[in-house]
PDB file of all heavy atoms in Angstrom:
ATOM      1  N   GLU A 801      78.321 131.822  40.176  1.00  0.00           N
ATOM      2  CA  GLU A 801      79.566 132.001  40.855  1.00  0.00           C
ATOM      3  C   GLU A 801      79.531 131.404  42.302  1.00  0.00           C
ATOM      4  O   GLU A 801      78.406 131.450  42.930  1.00  0.00           O
ATOM      5  CB  GLU A 801      79.892 133.540  41.014  1.00  0.00           C
ATOM      6  CG  GLU A 801      80.181 134.190  39.691  1.00  0.00           C
ATOM      7  CD  GLU A 801      80.534 135.710  39.881  1.00  0.00           C
ATOM      8  OE1 GLU A 801      80.473 136.096  41.091  1.00  0.00           O
ATOM      9  OE2 GLU A 801      80.858 136.307  38.863  1.00  0.00           O
ATOM     10  N   ALA A 802      80.598 130.830  42.781  1.00  0.00           N
ATOM     11  CA  ALA A 802      80.658 130.310  44.140  1.00  0.00           C
ATOM     12  C   ALA A 802      80.519 131.345  45.162  1.00  0.00           C
ATOM     13  O   ALA A 802      81.083 132.452  45.077  1.00  0.00           O
ATOM     14  CB  ALA A 802      81.883 129.505  44.326  1.00  0.00           C
ATOM     15  N   GLY A 803      79.700 131.071  46.130  1.00  0.00           N
ATOM     16  CA  GLY A 803      79.407 132.060  47.202  1.00  0.00           C
ATOM     17  C   GLY A 803      80.559 132.093  48.199  1.00  0.00           C
ATOM     18  O   GLY A 803      81.512 131.342  48.174  1.00  0.00           O
ATOM     19  N   ALA A 804      80.499 133.103  49.000  1.00  0.00           N
ATOM     20  CA  ALA A 804      81.582 133.255  50.005  1.00  0.00           C
ATOM     21  C   ALA A 804      81.605 132.097  50.952  1.00  0.00           C
ATOM     22  O   ALA A 804      80.555 131.717  51.522  1.00  0.00           O
ATOM     23  CB  ALA A 804      81.330 134.595  50.747  1.00  0.00           C
ATOM     24  N   GLY A 805      82.713 131.588  51.175  1.00  0.00           N
ATOM     25  CA  GLY A 805      82.889 130.516  52.037  1.00  0.00           C
ATOM     26  C   GLY A 805      82.470 129.122  51.580  1.00  0.00           C
ATOM     27  O   GLY A 805      82.522 128.185  52.306  1.00  0.00           O
ATOM     28  N   ALA A 806      82.094 129.063  50.333  1.00  0.00           N
ATOM     29  CA  ALA A 806      81.646 127.810  49.767  1.00  0.00           C
ATOM     30  C   ALA A 806      82.785 126.886  49.423  1.00  0.00           C
ATOM     31  O   ALA A 806      83.794 127.401  48.845  1.00  0.00           O
ATOM     32  CB  ALA A 806      80.755 128.004  48.528  1.00  0.00           C
ATOM     33  N   ALA A 807      82.681 125.685  49.719  1.00  0.00           N
ATOM     34  CA  ALA A 807      83.775 124.706  49.296  1.00  0.00           C
ATOM     35  C   ALA A 807      83.694 124.553  47.802  1.00  0.00           C
ATOM     36  O   ALA A 807      82.670 124.471  47.176  1.00  0.00           O
ATOM     37  CB  ALA A 807      83.571 123.427  50.032  1.00  0.00           C
ATOM     38  N   PRO A 808      84.850 124.512  47.178  1.00  0.00           N
ATOM     39  CA  PRO A 808      84.833 124.315  45.716  1.00  0.00           C
ATOM     40  C   PRO A 808      84.277 122.947  45.311  1.00  0.00           C
ATOM     41  O   PRO A 808      84.575 121.896  45.998  1.00  0.00           O
ATOM     42  CB  PRO A 808      86.334 124.427  45.283  1.00  0.00           C
ATOM     43  CG  PRO A 808      87.065 124.049  46.632  1.00  0.00           C
ATOM     44  CD  PRO A 808      86.205 124.594  47.687  1.00  0.00           C
ATOM     45  N   ALA A 809      83.416 122.979  44.279  1.00  0.00           N
ATOM     46  CA  ALA A 809      82.782 121.716  43.867  1.00  0.00           C
ATOM     47  C   ALA A 809      83.797 120.837  43.172  1.00  0.00           C
ATOM     48  O   ALA A 809      84.667 121.297  42.429  1.00  0.00           O
ATOM     49  CB  ALA A 809      81.600 122.000  42.971  1.00  0.00           C
ATOM     50  N   ALA A 810      83.563 119.510  43.310  1.00  0.00           N
ATOM     51  CA  ALA A 810      84.369 118.556  42.604  1.00  0.00           C
ATOM     52  C   ALA A 810      83.876 118.448  41.173  1.00  0.00           C
ATOM     53  O   ALA A 810      82.816 117.876  40.874  1.00  0.00           O
ATOM     54  CB  ALA A 810      84.309 117.203  43.322  1.00  0.00           C
ATOM     55  N   THR A 811      84.630 119.029  40.253  1.00  0.00           N
ATOM     56  CA  THR A 811      84.023 119.168  38.907  1.00  0.00           C
ATOM     57  C   THR A 811      84.762 118.267  37.954  1.00  0.00           C
ATOM     58  O   THR A 811      84.739 118.395  36.716  1.00  0.00           O
ATOM     59  CB  THR A 811      84.206 120.624  38.458  1.00  0.00           C
ATOM     60  OG1 THR A 811      85.685 120.952  38.527  1.00  0.00           O
ATOM     61  CG2 THR A 811      83.398 121.575  39.263  1.00  0.00           C
ATOM     62  N   THR A 812      85.506 117.327  38.510  1.00  0.00           N
ATOM     63  CA  THR A 812      86.173 116.321  37.580  1.00  0.00           C
ATOM     64  C   THR A 812      85.163 115.401  36.886  1.00  0.00           C
ATOM     65  O   THR A 812      84.112 114.982  37.520  1.00  0.00           O
ATOM     66  CB  THR A 812      87.156 115.452  38.320  1.00  0.00           C
ATOM     67  OG1 THR A 812      86.414 114.729  39.354  1.00  0.00           O
ATOM     68  CG2 THR A 812      88.220 116.332  39.035  1.00  0.00           C
ATOM     69  N   PRO A 813      85.307 115.213  35.615  1.00  0.00           N
ATOM     70  CA  PRO A 813      84.249 114.443  34.885  1.00  0.00           C
ATOM     71  C   PRO A 813      84.105 112.999  35.521  1.00  0.00           C
ATOM     72  O   PRO A 813      83.020 112.461  35.579  1.00  0.00           O
ATOM     73  CB  PRO A 813      84.844 114.349  33.507  1.00  0.00           C
ATOM     74  CG  PRO A 813      85.804 115.468  33.324  1.00  0.00           C
ATOM     75  CD  PRO A 813      86.335 115.685  34.714  1.00  0.00           C
ATOM     76  N   SER A 814      85.210 112.368  36.061  1.00  0.00           N
ATOM     77  CA  SER A 814      85.019 111.004  36.583  1.00  0.00           C
ATOM     78  C   SER A 814      84.105 111.016  37.792  1.00  0.00           C
ATOM     79  O   SER A 814      83.300 110.076  37.980  1.00  0.00           O
ATOM     80  CB  SER A 814      86.357 110.520  36.974  1.00  0.00           C
ATOM     81  OG  SER A 814      87.063 111.366  37.911  1.00  0.00           O
TER      82      SER A 814
END
Side-chain angles (χ1 to χ4, degrees):
E801 294 182 357
T811 58
T812 60
S814 59

